[in-house]
Amino acid sequence: MTTPPPGVPTPGAPHDDPAVSPPHNAPAATPPHDGSAAPERVEVVAVTGIGEVRPGDDVAALLAGAGLRDGDIVVVTSKIVSKAEGRVRHAPDRTQAIEEETERVVARRGDTVISQTRHGFVMAAAGVDASNTEPGTVLLLPEDADASARRIRAGLGGVRVGVIVSDTFGRPWRNGLTDVAIGVAGLRPLDDYRGTSDTYGNPLNATVTALADEIAGAAELVKGKLAGVPVAIVRGLSHLVTEDDGPGVRPLVRPADDDLFRFGSRDVVFARRTIREFSDRPVDPEAVRRAVAAGIAAPAPHHTTPWRFVLLESPQTRTKLLDAMREAWIADLRGDGFTEQSIAKRVKRGDVLRNAPYLVVPCLVMEGSHTYRDERRNTSEREMFIVATGAGVENFLVQLAVEGLGSAWVSSTMFCRPVVRELLDLPESWDPMGCVAVGHAAAPPRDRAPRDPGDFILTR
């Protein structure tokens, strides 16, 4: 690492974890690894003498004396990009700015908030920073850091370089911060080794290296948090620099469907949504069984286990059950005097079950319940078990969502319990408590209507 004396312009001289890497059949976000040998020497050089950056400043112009060479990679701290682009806000604290920059809160503990920004980044305080800025102001992330990187690169015309806009992120499971790329131009952001073999001939099925993040982290070694050095040059990686601006940082942001850890502690309950349209994608039976394990972790009276889950994995069984239930509903509705038109409309509501690739029938069992001489107490006893069954089904539905599966809990079986017991050959003591349609959502669910918790609270 080389750092010039302070005030003197530089002279002319994330992480790959197979457990969370993109799926093997995902399209490569970058050109495949070219098989070239690792460079023998990489230099990281601090660029000093830039001074305080003000709104309207041209970041590229500030680098005019940096002595850039073809193949260099310029790493620019996002703070000076934000200042130059006027992403400075006057605020007594960060609270309001964090709320406005947050797409969703992933986790919260005390004053610490982990947020997903509209850029797709998951980071502390939605990237809102109160350091290295005048008192009473906060810095927001660049509106579009890829576009910022492209503008800086274009402003450095005459030299072939890559540009990274970096910011500091924390990391799950590890203490300490590191810089990562939030904007990229003229650089291959990922190195994809999938489909190749290691030196022992073992196939690599999940190895994707976050090149841009590694370079951003290396650059931070000479910039530092307190040194007042916002730019570094990484030299020796010219094979990663591209002729065009490239895909930007987007390939580094894991799609929600591929993110095994998408839901933070605050998200888990709200992840459950009623899904009524499912794709043809098959359901992993093991995922359903993991959801059952969550279901039976619910509280129950008298240390009992009042839950049973009937998994309808056979298409023939699902069809027979739904046909039999349909006939029972129609007979009941006709007996109640409904018109044929009204019956057809009501029966159609069961299509969510017929269109689902997987069905689950939760059942209540009263094993371990107490019997009293007072019928009122017996009624209360059953109600306790019904509440416990509902808690178990809710756990089940939430875990399905965590597994990436949509669901719809329909009360249909409760209107024809004898038919369900007979067709599924269930014990008489098993009480079917509806039917859960399970599958992969065909489209994102509609946003929930806003609800104020205060409307549901009574304080005494």
Side-chain angles (χ1 to χ4, degrees):
M1 307 291 178
T2 306
T3 305
V8 179
T10 302
H15 160 81
D16 170 44
D17 183 347
V20 294
S21 290
H24 181 67
N25 59 357
T30 60
H33 180 63
D34 57 14
S36 58
E40 295 183 357
R41 177 183 176 87
V42 176
E43 290 184 282
V44 183
V45 184
V47 178
T48 61
I50 289 179
E52 182 63 23
V53 176
R54 303 290 181 185
D57 284 350
D58 184 340
V59 175
L62 298 175
L63 302 177
L68 292 171
R69 307 174 187 172
D70 281 346
D72 283 350
I73 299 171
V74 183
V75 184
V76 183
T77 300
S78 66
K79 286 185 177 64
I80 68 167
V81 176
S82 294
K83 290 180 178 180
E85 295 178 355
R87 297 282 287 163
V88 183
R89 173 178 172 154
H90 290 276
D93 58 48
R94 297 192 297 171
T95 303
Q96 185 63 33
I98 291 170
E99 290 181 2
E100 293 175 359
E101 293 294 299
T102 294
E103 184 76 18
R104 68 183 178 102
V105 174
V106 175
R108 186 192 301 271
R109 179 174 295 172
D111 294 332
T112 301
V113 179
I114 306 299
S115 305
Q116 178 182 312
T117 72
R118 60 180 175 277
H119 317 81
F121 307 138
V122 176
M123 57 194 308
V128 177
D129 200 340
S131 64
N132 292 306
T133 185
E134 294 180 1
T137 66
V138 295
L139 294 175
L140 312 181
L141 291 180
E143 190 72 37
D144 182 345
D146 279 337
S148 303
R150 292 192 295 267
R151 283 192 294 271
I152 295 170
R153 188 180 192 231
L156 298 172
V159 61
R160 177 177 166 270
V161 298
V163 174
I164 293 174
V165 176
S166 68
D167 201 89
T168 303
F169 277 47
R171 301 159 299 161
W173 308 298
R174 296 182 70 85
N175 288 320
L177 308 172
T178 187
D179 267 29
V180 302
I182 66 168
V184 177
L187 178 73
R188 195 166 81 230
L190 295 172
D191 216 352
D192 192 344
Y193 290 85
R194 292 173 298 179
T196 63
S197 301
D198 63 16
T199 54
Y200 292 96
N202 300 310
L204 301 178
N205 298 321
T207 305
V208 182
T209 302
L211 295 171
D213 286 347
E214 290 185 330
I215 295 167
E220 181 60 16
L221 293 174
V222 300
K223 290 189 296 175
K225 299 301 176 190
L226 303 177
V229 178
V231 180
I233 298 169
V234 179
R235 186 165 287 153
L237 299 174
S238 60
H239 62 289
L240 302 180
V241 177
T242 58
E243 294 297 334
D244 59 9
D245 286 333
V249 78
R250 183 54 48 189
L252 288 164
V253 179
R254 191 182 303 280
D257 288 346
D258 297 335
D259 188 351
L260 298 182
F261 308 101
R262 173 172 173 75
F263 299 117
S265 57
R266 187 183 182 277
D267 288 324
V268 172
V269 171
F270 297 95
R272 188 215 60 78
R273 302 296 299 276
T274 295
I275 302 297
R276 299 188 181 279
E277 296 181 9
F278 300 97
S279 71
D280 295 332
R281 184 176 169 189
V283 171
D284 179 5
E286 292 306 312
V288 178
R289 284 161 172 77
R290 289 191 292 270
V292 170
I296 62 177
H302 314 317
H303 305 288
T304 58
T305 54
W307 322 275
R308 302 293 186 271
F309 292 85
V310 185
L311 311 184
L312 306 188
E313 297 182 343
S314 163
Q316 295 79 10
T317 300
R318 292 196 297 271
T319 299
K320 287 180 181 179
L321 175 65
L322 295 176
D323 286 347
M325 288 169 57
R326 182 177 183 275
E327 294 306 314
W329 297 337
I330 291 173
D332 283 347
L333 292 169
R334 283 176 178 161
D336 290 336
F338 285 90
T339 66
E340 293 301 315
Q341 182 179 5
S342 178
I343 291 173
K345 184 177 180 180
R346 290 169 179 269
V347 169
K348 186 171 177 59
R349 294 173 187 169
D351 285 351
V352 63
L353 299 177
R354 200 169 290 274
N355 296 333
Y358 198 109
L359 297 179
V360 177
V361 177
C363 295
L364 160 67
V365 297
M366 296 291 293
E367 294 174 7
S369 62
H370 296 170
T371 301
Y372 303 95
R373 289 179 296 176
D374 184 346
E375 191 57 34
R376 177 181 56 84
R377 295 182 67 186
N378 285 331
T379 299
S380 297
E381 183 80 359
R382 178 172 174 77
E383 287 173 344
M384 285 197 306
F385 275 71
I386 292 173
V387 169
T389 301
V393 175
E394 174 68 2
N395 277 15
F396 174 71
L397 299 178
V398 169
Q399 185 61 32
L400 285 176
V402 172
E403 295 281 349
L405 293 167
S407 64
W409 187 12
V410 181
S411 59
S412 54
T413 66
M414 300 173 70
F415 294 91
C416 50
R417 288 180 168 108
V419 171
V420 177
R421 289 194 193 97
E422 180 181 358
L423 195 139
L424 297 181
D425 192 22
L426 304 181
E428 186 66 26
S429 60
W430 288 30
D431 195 354
M433 303 296 286
C435 186
V436 179
V438 181
H440 294 274
R446 290 178 295 180
D447 290 335
R448 282 190 177 92
R451 295 173 180 171
D452 183 351
D455 294 338
F456 303 87
I457 295 173
L458 181 63
T459 303
R460 289 288 188 263

